[in-house]
Amino acid sequence: MRFSFWINNAQSWDETLATAQHASASGWDGVWVADHFMPNAEDVSGPMHEAWALVSGIAAAVERVRIGVLVSGNTYRHPAVLAKAAATADHISGGRIVLGLGAGWQENEHEKYGIEFSTLKGRMDRLEEACQIVTRLFTEERVDFSGEHYTLTDAPLEPKPVQSPLPLLIGGGGEKRTMRIAATYAQEWNVWGTPELLAHKNAVLDRHCEEIGRDPSEVSRSCQGLLFLFDDAE
């Protein structure tokens, strides 16, 4: 079992760096950041650093730990551009990056920045195409892809990531689409929930793997454990 630390993107860079360095020095296995541009609230004026810029900074300045975005909103970046960013960060880190990817859900970011939010089905369809694109770009010399939402023509990605493959982590607990996408394309999967929920979701993921002929042990599993600290003993 591995334990990672999830850093708050609203912190200053100095606080972020100090936290990541402490996590590395004190034995944590990884550090993660979220992929959001603003608070999920009516008042969106709070600070929020961009996730992949943080990842690259941490990769250059912090040793040993795995580093990733939990998870990248697929709607925010073309998947080929995201793959390029992840591969570059993997070189900066010496091979410690995890590419977390999800369908995207925070509607106010799309509204404020003029990014198409689409429907849930539309976002899931884009996510599945994106998974095909990034996995192929990481492993193939040139990629042609003609989907409903994305098109690549003789597309290169050089240099390839240090890791082969660079781990793709799919985040989300949707049992019909999200978890089947994870079973099909991902090396890792993440979900929110209690131990009881995680046990149920693990069984669902195992079933999807078996249906497509994949060994369930090939997909690592993770979840969030939230810790709240208070001065009040009660």
Side-chain angles (χ1 to χ4, degrees), residues 91-203:
H91 280 267
I92 294 170
S93 72
R96 294 179 288 132
I97 299 299
V98 180
L99 174 53
L101 192 58
W105 63 269
Q106 190 167 315
E107 190 168 0
N108 68 341
E109 297 176 314
H110 298 76
E111 176 187 350
K112 298 296 184 185
Y113 285 169
I115 301 169
E116 183 185 358
F117 189 57
S118 187
T119 61
L120 177 59
K121 180 182 184 301
R123 297 195 302 277
M124 295 307 304
D125 290 346
R126 285 173 171 82
L127 176 62
E128 185 148 17
E129 288 190 13
C131 289
Q132 297 174 57
I133 288 169
V134 297
T135 54
R136 290 184 59 191
L137 284 171
F138 285 158
T139 57
E140 299 177 20
E141 183 176 351
R142 295 293 177 92
V143 175
D144 289 297
F145 184 88
S146 180
E148 183 179 352
H149 302 285
Y150 304 112
T151 300
L152 276 68
T153 304
D154 195 30
L157 189 142
E158 293 293 344
K160 298 298 185 194
V162 174
Q163 301 174 87
S164 183
L166 188 156
L168 174 63
L169 179 152
I170 297 298
E175 296 184 5
K176 293 182 178 180
R177 291 288 310 269
T178 304
M179 297 185 67
R180 188 170 184 86
I181 289 171
T184 304
Y185 302 103
Q187 285 75 47
E188 305 184 24
W189 164 75
N190 177 272
V191 72
W192 288 80
T194 62
E196 293 78 15
L197 180 65
L198 187 62
H200 166 73
K201 297 292 186 181
N202 270 319

Side-chain angles (χ1 to χ4, degrees), residues 30-50:
V31 294
W32 299 83
V33 297
D35 187 21
H36 292 294
F37 305 129
M38 61 194 68
N40 184 32
E42 185 174 344
D43 181 4
V44 296
S45 58
M48 193 72 67
H49 289 298
E50 198 277 331

Side-chain angles (χ1 to χ4, degrees), residues 35 69 71-77 82 100-105:
D35 187 21
V69 178
V71 288
S72 307
N74 180 61
T75 51
Y76 301 144
R77 305 167 190 84
L82 177 62
L101 192 58
W105 63 269

Side-chain angles (χ1 to χ4, degrees), residues 7 14-26 31 58 61-63:
I7 295 174
D14 288 343
E15 291 173 316
T16 296
L17 179 58
T19 301
Q21 289 175 332
H22 177 76
S24 176
S26 56
V31 294
I58 294 168
V62 178
E63 299 179 347

